[in-house]
Amino acid sequence: TALLAAILFGASTPANKFLLAAAISPQQLAGLLYLGAALGVLPLLLFNHISLWLRGINRKDSLYLTGAIVLGGVAAPLLLLFGLRLASAASVSLWLNLEMAATLILGALLFRDHLTSYSWGAALSVLLGSLILSFHEQQAGGIAILFIAGACLCWGFDNHLTALIDGLTNGYLSQRLK
């Protein structure tokens, strides 16, 4: 399943570029993608009674969940699709590696994660590689990479916020999903 997920993730950027070229706006496409994702997890929600967990969530975790939804589920896909509209699918696919760098850097700066020199080196390498890859896209690439970097920053926050939600890691939800 991990290999299939990787293949589908890799194919999603070119497929989205094709859909954007077919006169679908980034907002419409983001809505359709998340409608599809919602329909995909609906059986999980129905059969595992996740709604019971959501009713019992505390205020702090509900703020984390709201932040993850707004940043990772709304802002990031829109930024990605606006960037994808301006740049080639190949460049955008490579720039999506910025999510790893954003997650690492946010973790170190805001979430008190300890990074080794190898982790900092990896984040720096991804940042530099992304900048180098943006040169061939010319002016549109400069704007596009800002959109993609913004999306990756939103997903970096999403990664940390969802990791902070107690029930997702060790509570009711993780027990129900086993």
Side-chain angles (χ1 to χ4, degrees):
T1 57
L3 183 60
L4 178 62
I7 290 169
L8 291 173
F9 179 78
S12 67
T13 302
N16 288 332
K17 181 72 173 182
F18 175 76
L19 291 171
L20 285 173
I24 295 177
S25 75
Q27 299 92 326
Q28 291 170 322
L29 184 54
L32 289 172
L33 292 171
Y34 277 87
L35 176 62
L39 292 173
V41 298
L42 186 61
L44 180 72
L45 291 171
L46 295 174
F47 295 117
N48 288 309
H49 307 289
I50 292 176
S51 62
L52 295 175
W53 172 78
L54 287 173
R55 284 188 216 134
I57 192 171
N58 65 42
R59 181 166 168 72
K60 182 175 76 170
D61 286 345
S62 67
L63 290 174
Y64 292 152
L65 183 60
T66 301
I69 291 168
V70 169
L71 291 171
V74 177
L78 285 172
L79 289 168
L80 167 68
L81 293 172
F82 279 111
L84 183 58
R85 192 168 59 174
L86 297 172
S88 70
S91 292
V92 171
S93 292
L94 294 170
W95 292 339
L96 286 174
N97 287 305
L98 284 170
E99 181 184 348
M100 181 274 301
T103 302
L104 284 174
I105 293 168
L106 286 171
L109 298 178
L110 299 178
F111 295 96
R112 299 186 197 130
D113 290 349
H114 172 71
L115 295 185
T116 66
S117 58
Y118 293 114
S119 299
W120 282 109
L124 182 61
S125 296
V126 169
L127 289 171
L128 290 175
S130 296
L131 289 175
I132 291 168
L133 290 170
S134 68
F135 288 136
H136 82 280
E137 292 282 346
Q138 299 173 347
Q139 185 178 3
I143 296 167
I145 197 170
L146 291 176
F147 280 119
I148 303 306
C152 290
L153 186 64
C154 289
W155 279 315
F157 272 110
D158 178 18
N159 293 337
H160 284 286
L161 293 173
T162 53
L164 292 172
I165 299 171
D166 289 334
L168 287 178
T169 56
N170 59 5
Y172 173 80
L173 183 58
S174 62
Q175 292 171 2
R176 293 294 299 171
L177 294 177
K178 288 183 181 177

